[in-house]
Each structure stands twice: as C-alpha cells, then as structure tokens.
C-alpha cells in the first residue's frame, strides 16, 4: 500500500501524542467546513475527523445527533461536502478522515465515494456500522484502489480474536472506543475502562491506537495519552463550536483551556 497522511503522521510522531478532533460538517453553517478545518490545522490539531451528517447516527450521543440534524437542515450533503474539501485540498497538510454511516455512502456509491475521497484530499474513512465481513469483501478492495485507510472501531466488548483480525486486515490506526455506550463527555474513566486500555496495550497490536468517546478534560485526555498513540475528541468540541456560534478559534481556546493540566 502507498503511504498516506495517516501513516506518515503516526510514522513520524516519535514519542509525541496525537490529538484528533471531530466536527460535524455543516452543523453551524453549511459553508463553515473550510474555516473549521483550516483553523484546526493552524492551531496544531494533528488529524481531523469530518462528520458526514446522517438522520440516524446510532453510535452517537445527543450532542452529535443534534449537530447532524442541524447540518441536514442547513442543506449539507455528501456531494457538497466533497466539493468544499476539494477547494481546500492543497492547503490541508494534516490527515482528514471522513466519519459517517453506511447508508449515505451506499447511496453515493462505494466506488464514487472512495474516488471522491481521494480527489478531495481525504486519507481515510470511519464507518461505524460497516460489518467487518462486508468491509473485507466489498469495501476494502475499493478503498485500497483509491489509497483510503478504513479505520475500524473496537470496544470493551470486542473479542480478542476480532481485535486481532481487525489489526491484521486494516492499516492506519485502530479506533478504541472507551466504553460500550454512545459518544459523550465523561469526567474520568473508571477502573474497568483503564483495565480495558491496559489489556489492549498488552496485545502488542501492529497498528497504532487512538482512544475516543468520553474525552473532554485533562484527566480523560491524559488517560488516553498514557494508553494509546493519541486521543480523539468529538462531542466536547462539537458542543463548544455550537456554544461559540461556529467560531473555531474561540471553540479551540475553550477546549485547550479544558484539557490543560
């Protein structure tokens, strides 16, 4: 496989921990995508998950569900999102990962979707409801053709056998969901969650791991940094972006304040 920005990021990080942020495209305004991405890049965010709004986001808590509903009302669509990303692709140096559900992607067409990802400067995709067998059989060959890394999720309920299978058949990073619940903020991780992190650490997986779901302050961020290559913040940033009327600089100021020691 050709290297892409995700592989380069993890390959060149040394001991530095990676911070990735998620936002739902079009939630504050359908024309805000470029502004949010370029501001995040300028402020030192390492990787960005660009959320594709969908009417029934099963893995997401109320904050991201509300953002998705607003984005759809604002007129955001996959076609529009790709055109916005295409306009800024030469300015974006960090990895962009599209995160969305299978239904809109199937509607768009898997081949067209992966091709549009490549043409728009996207490095990978996360599809929480894509069954692993379908990924191997149908999605992976097309994603590989267009240089896209397909990131799979694991949770405390995922068996060791499945985790090893995911690790063997994916490239980029493994997304460790911190709990079996939906997305949302937590003040701290309990001992059971920390034990899960330690168990995954002891498996010596080939792929680097990123921990997401529930990270919203210094305590949860540091726990993720201690147990993985980095952390993904979603709901907290989405809520701050809404609170700051779509101003990404202000939202990042507040986020950085929250995750400081």
């Amino acid at each position: 496989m050709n290297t892409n920005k995700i592989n380069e990021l993890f390959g060149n990080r040394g001991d530095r921990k990676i911070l990735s942020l998620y936002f739902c495209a079009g939630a504050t305004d359908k024309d805000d995508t470029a502004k949010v991405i370029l501001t995040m890049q300028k402020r030192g965010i390492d990787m960005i998950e660009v959320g594709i709004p969908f009417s029934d986001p099963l893995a997401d808590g109320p904050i991201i569900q509300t953002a998705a509903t607003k984005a759809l009302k604002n007129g955001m669509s996959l076609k529009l999102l790709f055109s916005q990303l295409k306009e800024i692709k030469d300015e974006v140096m960090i990895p962009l990962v599209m995160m969305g559900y299978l239904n809109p992607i199937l509607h768009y067409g898997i081949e067209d979707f992966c091709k549009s990802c490549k043409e728009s400067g996207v490095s990978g995709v996360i599809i929480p409801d894509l069954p692993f067998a379908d990924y191997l059989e149908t999605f992976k060959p097309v994603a590989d053709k267009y240089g896209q890394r397909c990131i799979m999720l694991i949770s405390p309920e995922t068996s060791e056998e499945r985790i090893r299978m995911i690790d063997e058949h994916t490239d980029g990073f493994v997304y460790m969901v911190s709990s079996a619940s939906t997305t949302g903020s937590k003040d701290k991780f309990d001992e059971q969650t920390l034990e899960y992190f330690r168990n995954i650490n002891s498996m010596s997986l080939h792929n680097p791991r990123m921990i997401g779901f529930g990270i919203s302050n210094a305590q949860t961020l540091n726990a993720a940094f201690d147990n993985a290559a980095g952390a993904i913040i979603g709901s907290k940033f989405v809520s701050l972006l809404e609170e700051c009327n779509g101003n990404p600089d202000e939202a990042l100021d507040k986020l950085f304040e929250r995750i400081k020691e």
Side-chain angles (χ1 to χ4, degrees), residues 23 28 32-41 48 237 241 246 248:
F23 79 105
T28 46
D32 278 354
T33 306
K35 178 175 73 175
V36 174
I37 289 172
L38 294 174
T39 303
M40 280 202 243
Q41 175 174 268
I48 300 171
F237 183 66
L241 204 51

Side-chain angles (χ1 to χ4, degrees), residues 7 11 52 130 188 200 205 207 224:
N7 299 105
I52 304 165
L130 173 63
K188 65 176 185 174
I200 303 298
L205 299 179
N207 280 299

Side-chain angles (χ1 to χ4, degrees), residues 58-189:
L58 299 172
D60 294 307
I63 290 171
I64 293 177
Q65 283 185 17
T66 301
T69 302
K70 285 184 175 173
L72 292 171
K73 281 183 182 166
N74 286 341
M76 179 50 76
S77 68
L78 199 43
K79 189 178 177 184
L80 175 60
L81 178 54
F82 277 131
S83 73
Q84 292 172 340
L85 295 177
K86 216 170 188 175
E87 283 180 17
I88 58 167
K89 70 176 255 186
D90 293 336
E91 297 173 70
V92 180
M93 301 296 123
I94 61 177
L96 298 182
V97 179
M98 295 285 265
M99 183 162 186
Y101 292 84
L102 193 52
N103 190 297
I105 293 168
L106 289 177
H107 189 71
Y108 194 88
I110 291 173
E111 179 99 20
D112 287 340
F113 176 77
C114 292
K115 185 169 184 270
S116 292
C117 282
K118 182 177 184 179
E119 289 171 348
S120 307
V122 171
S123 299
V125 298
I126 302 171
I127 309 169
D129 59 342
L130 173 63
F132 192 65
D134 292 353
Y135 156 71
L136 285 178
E137 191 180 328
T138 309
F139 201 91
K140 186 178 187 299
V142 186
D144 287 350
K145 178 180 167 184
Y146 292 101
Q148 297 301 304
R149 304 294 180 253
C150 195
I151 310 304
M152 303 300 284
L153 281 70
I154 63 170
S155 79
E157 295 177 349
T158 310
S159 69
E160 179 173 341
E161 182 188 13
R162 187 176 175 83
I163 291 169
R164 293 204 182 278
M165 199 183 294
I166 285 170
D167 188 47
E168 185 184 341
H169 294 286
T170 61
D171 182 25
F173 65 93
V174 171
Y175 191 136
M176 281 177 65
V177 174
S178 67
S179 72
S181 63
T182 57
T183 55
S185 300
K186 289 180 175 60
D187 289 330
K188 65 176 185 174
F189 292 128

Side-chain angles (χ1 to χ4, degrees), residues 204-223:
S204 302
L205 299 179
H206 153 74
N207 280 299
R209 299 167 320 285
M210 294 286 285
I211 294 175
F213 285 48
I215 296 170
S216 63
N217 58 18
Q219 197 166 357
T220 46
L221 181 74
N222 289 330

